[in-house]
Amino acid sequence: MWRRGERLYALLVFGLVVLEALALGALVLVFSGRLWNLWGYPEAQRALWQALFLTGLALAVLSAYILVYHAYTQAREVQDRKAYEDWLSRFTQALFGEGAPPPPPWPRPALQALLSLREMLRGEFAETLEAWLRQAQTPWGRILRSRLASRSARLEALEALAQARLPETLELILPYLRHLDPVLRLAAARAGARVAQGEGLGQLAAALLEADLPRGALLEVLLLLEDRAPPVVERLLRTGALEERWAALEAIGRLRLSTLAQEVLAFLDHPDPELKAAAMRALWRLGHPPWGKEEVLLAALRDEREFLRVHAARLLALLRNDLARRALWKALSDPSFYVRRAAAEGLALMDRELLARAAQKHPDAYGRAMAEQVLREAA
């Protein structure tokens, strides 16, 4: 992000470097000519003095500008902070009925104060703040529509719209989900998740399917939706590619979207191991027993990939039947520490007596040790 005056500072440094390069280039040219007797001594002396003068001038100008710049920015930051606190106090008093806020347009510190309050408050206070933000003559829409706006300005505008949470601003955000810059696409996706409501959730889901975001970014966006997530998650789960479906499955478990548990069960048969593991994690977090998928879990418990065996052992415990007990007893002999741990924790969850018997009589020494360790921790 650029601070005030940093663009001028960068331009000044660039100009001084170019000027110094030209002076040194001329000096090299003149001294090379002097070596070959193409230039006389006076010309070489004059070029040397000119180069020294330009170097001294450049250092003096740069040093003076740095001192002035830091003094100015520090004073301006103190001034902006004071203005921000004053506007924050005014808006807070107005929210509690102690007068009305001054009429817009409001300066930048006032808009920052409004956004800070909007982030903190909910209910009737939030509705009042939204009304004030609609009245304010904010620059964010103009920045996002402009083709000349810098990347940093657009990022700040997207972040401001995300904090404001005005549903009507979604139309300004969605075009950036198709932007060539991946950073702007991610910022737009975050802002869209904070803003979208009602029919806008369908528009956001369609845009996310075309945004080409990595799975971690998609998951973050879905988690930002919170209680508005189900329609978007369902759309990505049914029509998305592997990345979108993985993010949707993870979001179902983390957001506890139990209404989509049946949709998740179908992914236990998926050929992609990452999606299968994500479905297992989602069902385990939901506490939803995988009825009808016992054979799939037993096959996963024999899979060569360790992470599938771990998730299968955890999920089998939710069945709470003899099949699960036998499978977890056998999984205590698995060569993987993490599979044995998951099996022991599963037995502790559904049959503490069987786990105690495993700690004494299991044929595998590592299985006995793991059962004993989980028993001690549970006690």
Side-chain angles (χ1 to χ4, degrees):
M1 296 296 181
W2 291 93
R3 293 193 302 170
R4 290 187 181 91
E6 286 191 354
R7 292 181 185 276
L8 180 59
Y9 175 69
L11 183 62
L12 176 65
V13 172
F14 177 76
L16 292 176
V17 169
V18 170
L19 183 63
E20 187 65 20
L22 292 175
L24 292 177
L27 189 62
V28 170
L29 182 63
V30 171
F31 271 78
S32 298
R34 174 62 182 153
L35 289 176
W36 296 98
N37 296 319
L38 298 177
W39 301 95
Y41 178 77
E43 288 81 2
Q45 186 180 32
R46 184 166 56 252
L48 177 60
W49 283 113
Q50 288 175 350
L52 291 175
F53 173 77
L54 289 176
T55 301
L57 179 63
L59 289 175
V61 171
L62 184 60
S63 301
Y65 183 84
I66 290 175
L67 293 175
V68 172
Y69 169 73
H70 283 289
Y72 166 77
T73 53
Q74 184 176 3
R76 189 59 185 263
E77 286 174 1
V78 172
Q79 182 181 356
D80 288 347
R81 184 64 186 176
K82 177 68 166 55
Y84 168 81
E85 293 175 352
D86 291 342
W87 280 103
L88 191 64
S89 177
R90 289 187 190 181
F91 287 127
T92 303
Q93 291 175 0
L95 280 174
F96 287 96
E98 300 179 10
W106 295 315
R108 181 187 178 94
L111 297 178
Q112 291 176 343
L114 274 178
L115 293 177
S116 297
L117 288 172
R118 180 66 185 90
E119 278 286 278
M120 292 185 292
L121 301 178
R122 299 289 185 271
E124 295 181 0
F125 290 146
E127 294 176 0
T128 302
L129 290 169
E130 287 180 2
W132 289 349
L133 283 168
R134 290 187 178 98
Q135 296 173 10
Q137 299 177 12
T138 60
W140 309 315
R142 184 180 69 255
I143 292 172
L144 293 179
R145 292 189 188 97
S146 173
R147 295 183 178 181
L148 302 178
S150 65
R151 183 199 209 189
S152 59
R154 296 183 187 192
L155 288 173
E156 289 179 358
L158 288 169
E159 176 63 22
L161 292 182
Q163 291 179 304
R165 301 186 187 183
L166 300 177
E168 62 270 19
T169 61
L170 184 63
E171 63 180 14
L172 295 171
I173 297 170
L174 290 181
Y176 278 87
L177 281 168
R178 299 188 297 272
H179 201 279
L180 295 177
D181 188 339
V183 176
L184 287 175
R185 287 205 307 273
L186 177 57
R190 290 170 174 166
R194 304 285 294 276
V195 165
Q197 297 180 16
E199 296 180 357
L201 293 171
Q203 298 173 5
L204 177 63
L208 288 175
L209 288 171
E210 301 176 359
D212 192 27
L213 293 173
R215 60 174 60 179
L218 282 169
L219 176 58
E220 179 188 356
V221 171
L222 295 178
L223 295 180
L224 285 173
L225 286 165
E226 298 177 340
D227 58 342
R228 296 169 287 120
V232 180
V233 170
E234 188 173 5
R235 177 81 175 272
L236 266 60
L237 193 64
R238 291 182 177 178
T239 62
L242 291 178
E243 298 291 304
E244 288 82 11
R245 289 182 172 182
W246 182 92
L249 289 169
E250 285 290 334
I252 289 172
R254 299 191 189 197
L255 294 175
R256 304 293 192 271
L257 304 180
S258 56
T259 56
L260 297 176
Q262 291 301 318
E263 301 275 351
V264 177
L265 276 173
F267 283 88
L268 293 180
D269 295 316
H270 200 280
D272 185 84
E274 292 289 344
L275 286 185
K276 185 182 293 187
M280 291 180 187
R281 284 193 297 271
L283 291 172
W284 182 71
R285 286 169 174 148
L286 291 174
H288 186 86
W291 300 117
K293 298 293 183 179
E294 291 86 351
E295 291 299 324
V296 176
L297 293 181
L298 291 176
L301 203 57
R302 298 188 297 270
D303 196 281
E304 62 180 8
R305 287 161 290 209
E306 181 187 48
F307 67 94
L308 284 180
R309 301 202 304 274
V310 171
H311 294 312
R314 289 176 176 172
L315 195 54
L316 275 168
L318 298 180
L319 292 173
R320 296 178 180 271
N321 56 21
D322 291 337
L323 175 65
R325 291 183 178 89
R326 291 194 299 271
L328 294 180
W329 177 278
K330 186 177 180 181
L332 284 174
S333 302
D334 194 279
S336 168
F337 169 88
Y338 300 102
V339 177
R340 296 196 303 272
R341 176 79 186 188
E345 290 176 345
L347 288 175
L349 179 66
M350 67 178 185
D351 194 333
R352 188 71 65 85
E353 294 181 1
L354 182 59
L355 182 64
R357 190 158 64 250
Q360 297 176 357
K361 301 181 180 180
H362 197 278
D364 186 88
Y366 292 107
R368 291 195 303 272
M370 182 60 71
E372 184 178 354
Q373 178 181 343
V374 171
L375 277 175
R376 286 199 306 268
E377 293 175 359

